[in-house]
Amino acid sequence: MAGLVRKSFDSPEEVRPFEDGKGRLELVNVDAGAVGRATFEPGWKWSEHVKPIAKTDNCLAAHAAYVVSGRMKVVMSDGQEEDFGPGDYMNIAPGHDAWVLGDEPCVVVDWQGFADYAKA
């Protein structure tokens, strides 16, 4: 393992678009796995813009993520819900839906759940 590694989301190793042009996931790979930066455009909703790609009833990825900008609501299958915004850390178990709140894109960096996210 190198003592110093530099990766940039401005030149990701992989880009995965969401349905209807409602955003994208940019991935960089590190020894510990993929790290992703997702941009969720206003109007994005997991159940509309990723569910057709994932082919599951709800998001089955676990997330350990940081919200850079914008706002997002996450609703768990059991009804628990939370709103997240800039500066928030999110730890989300599998089994949820989520959507952008407001008219600003929501940008999230995730260290856990994006390796297989929105992967056809």
Side-chain angles (χ1 to χ4, degrees), residues 69-103:
S69 61
R71 300 196 60 76
M72 181 176 286
K73 176 177 269 315
V74 178
V75 178
M76 302 300 297
S77 298
D78 67 4
Q80 181 183 3
E81 60 184 69
E82 188 65 63
D83 293 356
F84 296 94
D88 287 343
Y89 168 77
M90 304 189 300
N91 193 306
I92 305 169
H96 57 273
D97 195 2
W99 54 89
V100 171
L101 297 171
D103 58 2

